mmCIF file of all heavy atoms in Angstrom:
data_model
loop_
_atom_site.group_PDB
_atom_site.id
_atom_site.type_symbol
_atom_site.label_atom_id
_atom_site.label_comp_id
_atom_site.label_asym_id
_atom_site.label_seq_id
_atom_site.Cartn_x
_atom_site.Cartn_y
_atom_site.Cartn_z
ATOM 1 N N VAL A 75 3.443 5.700 -22.798
ATOM 2 C CA VAL A 75 1.986 5.618 -22.873
ATOM 3 C C VAL A 75 1.401 6.574 -21.839
ATOM 4 O O VAL A 75 1.850 6.616 -20.693
ATOM 5 C CB VAL A 75 1.473 4.179 -22.632
ATOM 6 C CG1 VAL A 75 1.858 3.286 -23.789
ATOM 7 C CG2 VAL A 75 1.997 3.597 -21.328
ATOM 8 N N ASP A 76 0.435 7.358 -22.267
ATOM 9 C CA ASP A 76 -0.174 8.366 -21.396
ATOM 10 C C ASP A 76 -1.442 7.801 -20.757
ATOM 11 O O ASP A 76 -2.451 7.591 -21.420
ATOM 12 C CB ASP A 76 -0.505 9.626 -22.205
ATOM 13 C CG ASP A 76 -0.925 10.788 -21.315
ATOM 14 O OD1 ASP A 76 -1.216 10.552 -20.120
ATOM 15 O OD2 ASP A 76 -0.967 11.931 -21.801
ATOM 16 N N LEU A 77 -1.350 7.551 -19.454
ATOM 17 C CA LEU A 77 -2.493 7.017 -18.699
ATOM 18 C C LEU A 77 -2.973 8.029 -17.662
ATOM 19 O O LEU A 77 -3.666 7.666 -16.712
ATOM 20 C CB LEU A 77 -2.093 5.712 -18.005
ATOM 21 C CG LEU A 77 -1.600 4.583 -18.917
ATOM 22 C CD1 LEU A 77 -1.175 3.384 -18.091
ATOM 23 C CD2 LEU A 77 -2.669 4.184 -19.916
ATOM 24 N N SER A 78 -2.602 9.298 -17.846
ATOM 25 C CA SER A 78 -2.860 10.312 -16.819
ATOM 26 C C SER A 78 -4.351 10.521 -16.546
ATOM 27 O O SER A 78 -4.739 10.761 -15.404
ATOM 28 C CB SER A 78 -2.193 11.634 -17.199
ATOM 29 O OG SER A 78 -2.622 12.084 -18.471
ATOM 30 N N ALA A 79 -5.192 10.447 -17.574
ATOM 31 C CA ALA A 79 -6.629 10.655 -17.362
ATOM 32 C C ALA A 79 -7.202 9.555 -16.474
ATOM 33 O O ALA A 79 -7.970 9.823 -15.540
ATOM 34 C CB ALA A 79 -7.359 10.702 -18.698
ATOM 35 N N ASP A 80 -6.823 8.315 -16.765
ATOM 36 C CA ASP A 80 -7.309 7.197 -15.953
ATOM 37 C C ASP A 80 -6.711 7.231 -14.557
ATOM 38 O O ASP A 80 -7.379 6.883 -13.579
ATOM 39 C CB ASP A 80 -6.966 5.870 -16.630
ATOM 40 C CG ASP A 80 -7.785 5.629 -17.881
ATOM 41 O OD1 ASP A 80 -9.001 5.428 -17.761
ATOM 42 O OD2 ASP A 80 -7.203 5.656 -18.980
ATOM 43 N N TYR A 81 -5.453 7.649 -14.459
ATOM 44 C CA TYR A 81 -4.815 7.743 -13.148
ATOM 45 C C TYR A 81 -5.543 8.750 -12.264
ATOM 46 O O TYR A 81 -5.782 8.499 -11.080
ATOM 47 C CB TYR A 81 -3.343 8.139 -13.301
ATOM 48 C CG TYR A 81 -2.578 8.160 -11.997
ATOM 49 C CD1 TYR A 81 -2.006 6.998 -11.494
ATOM 50 C CD2 TYR A 81 -2.442 9.333 -11.263
ATOM 51 C CE1 TYR A 81 -1.304 7.016 -10.295
ATOM 52 C CE2 TYR A 81 -1.742 9.356 -10.068
ATOM 53 C CZ TYR A 81 -1.172 8.190 -9.590
ATOM 54 O OH TYR A 81 -0.499 8.210 -8.398
ATOM 55 N N LYS A 82 -5.915 9.870 -12.853
ATOM 56 C CA LYS A 82 -6.649 10.875 -12.079
ATOM 57 C C LYS A 82 -7.981 10.321 -11.594
ATOM 58 O O LYS A 82 -8.360 10.499 -10.431
ATOM 59 C CB LYS A 82 -6.882 12.136 -12.909
ATOM 60 C CG LYS A 82 -7.635 13.221 -12.151
ATOM 61 C CD LYS A 82 -7.931 14.433 -13.008
ATOM 62 C CE LYS A 82 -8.643 15.513 -12.182
ATOM 63 N NZ LYS A 82 -9.894 15.029 -11.548
ATOM 64 N N THR A 83 -8.693 9.643 -12.480
ATOM 65 C CA THR A 83 -10.015 9.119 -12.123
ATOM 66 C C THR A 83 -9.932 7.999 -11.098
ATOM 67 O O THR A 83 -10.663 7.989 -10.105
ATOM 68 C CB THR A 83 -10.738 8.607 -13.379
ATOM 69 O OG1 THR A 83 -10.867 9.679 -14.310
ATOM 70 C CG2 THR A 83 -12.115 8.076 -13.021
ATOM 71 N N ARG A 84 -9.024 7.069 -11.340
ATOM 72 C CA ARG A 84 -8.980 5.862 -10.503
ATOM 73 C C ARG A 84 -8.187 6.027 -9.216
ATOM 74 O O ARG A 84 -8.465 5.352 -8.226
ATOM 75 C CB ARG A 84 -8.388 4.700 -11.308
ATOM 76 C CG ARG A 84 -9.207 4.274 -12.508
ATOM 77 C CD ARG A 84 -8.739 2.914 -12.974
ATOM 78 N NE ARG A 84 -9.367 2.492 -14.214
ATOM 79 C CZ ARG A 84 -9.292 1.252 -14.691
ATOM 80 N NH1 ARG A 84 -8.614 0.328 -14.014
ATOM 81 N NH2 ARG A 84 -9.871 0.934 -15.819
ATOM 82 N N ILE A 85 -7.183 6.886 -9.224
ATOM 83 C CA ILE A 85 -6.296 7.002 -8.064
ATOM 84 C C ILE A 85 -6.477 8.335 -7.342
ATOM 85 O O ILE A 85 -6.791 8.382 -6.147
ATOM 86 C CB ILE A 85 -4.823 6.826 -8.464
ATOM 87 C CG1 ILE A 85 -4.636 5.573 -9.327
ATOM 88 C CG2 ILE A 85 -3.942 6.779 -7.217
ATOM 89 C CD1 ILE A 85 -5.038 4.278 -8.657
ATOM 90 N N VAL A 86 -6.275 9.435 -8.054
ATOM 91 C CA VAL A 86 -6.284 10.742 -7.405
ATOM 92 C C VAL A 86 -7.677 11.095 -6.874
ATOM 93 O O VAL A 86 -7.812 11.525 -5.721
ATOM 94 C CB VAL A 86 -5.772 11.837 -8.369
ATOM 95 C CG1 VAL A 86 -5.857 13.215 -7.712
ATOM 96 C CG2 VAL A 86 -4.331 11.543 -8.776
ATOM 97 N N ASP A 87 -8.709 10.920 -7.685
ATOM 98 C CA ASP A 87 -10.070 11.223 -7.212
ATOM 99 C C ASP A 87 -10.455 10.333 -6.040
ATOM 100 O O ASP A 87 -11.153 10.764 -5.117
ATOM 101 C CB ASP A 87 -11.078 11.057 -8.356
ATOM 102 C CG ASP A 87 -10.940 12.150 -9.414
ATOM 103 O OD1 ASP A 87 -10.189 13.112 -9.173
ATOM 104 O OD2 ASP A 87 -11.568 12.021 -10.482
ATOM 105 N N TYR A 88 -9.996 9.084 -6.080
ATOM 106 C CA TYR A 88 -10.235 8.162 -4.966
ATOM 107 C C TYR A 88 -9.564 8.682 -3.697
ATOM 108 O O TYR A 88 -10.163 8.665 -2.609
ATOM 109 C CB TYR A 88 -9.692 6.777 -5.332
ATOM 110 C CG TYR A 88 -9.575 5.807 -4.178
ATOM 111 C CD1 TYR A 88 -10.668 5.049 -3.768
ATOM 112 C CD2 TYR A 88 -8.373 5.629 -3.498
ATOM 113 C CE1 TYR A 88 -10.564 4.155 -2.701
ATOM 114 C CE2 TYR A 88 -8.251 4.741 -2.447
ATOM 115 C CZ TYR A 88 -9.352 4.012 -2.055
ATOM 116 O OH TYR A 88 -9.246 3.135 -1.008
ATOM 117 N N MET A 89 -8.318 9.162 -3.828
ATOM 118 C CA MET A 89 -7.612 9.717 -2.675
ATOM 119 C C MET A 89 -8.370 10.878 -2.055
ATOM 120 O O MET A 89 -8.560 10.931 -0.836
ATOM 121 C CB MET A 89 -6.218 10.192 -3.082
ATOM 122 C CG MET A 89 -5.184 9.116 -3.258
ATOM 123 S SD MET A 89 -3.587 9.843 -3.698
ATOM 124 C CE MET A 89 -3.287 10.886 -2.278
ATOM 125 N N PHE A 90 -8.798 11.805 -2.893
ATOM 126 C CA PHE A 90 -9.535 12.964 -2.390
ATOM 127 C C PHE A 90 -10.784 12.531 -1.643
ATOM 128 O O PHE A 90 -11.083 13.026 -0.549
ATOM 129 C CB PHE A 90 -9.912 13.900 -3.541
ATOM 130 C CG PHE A 90 -8.778 14.702 -4.086
ATOM 131 C CD1 PHE A 90 -8.571 14.819 -5.450
ATOM 132 C CD2 PHE A 90 -7.887 15.357 -3.243
ATOM 133 C CE1 PHE A 90 -7.516 15.567 -5.966
ATOM 134 C CE2 PHE A 90 -6.831 16.111 -3.739
ATOM 135 C CZ PHE A 90 -6.647 16.215 -5.105
#
Side-chain angles (χ1 to χ4, degrees):
V75 291
D76 189 346
L77 301 177
S78 56
D80 289 292
Y81 184 85
K82 180 183 182 304
T83 301
R84 296 196 187 192
I85 311 300
V86 177
D87 290 351
Y88 166 84
M89 282 181 60
F90 285 134

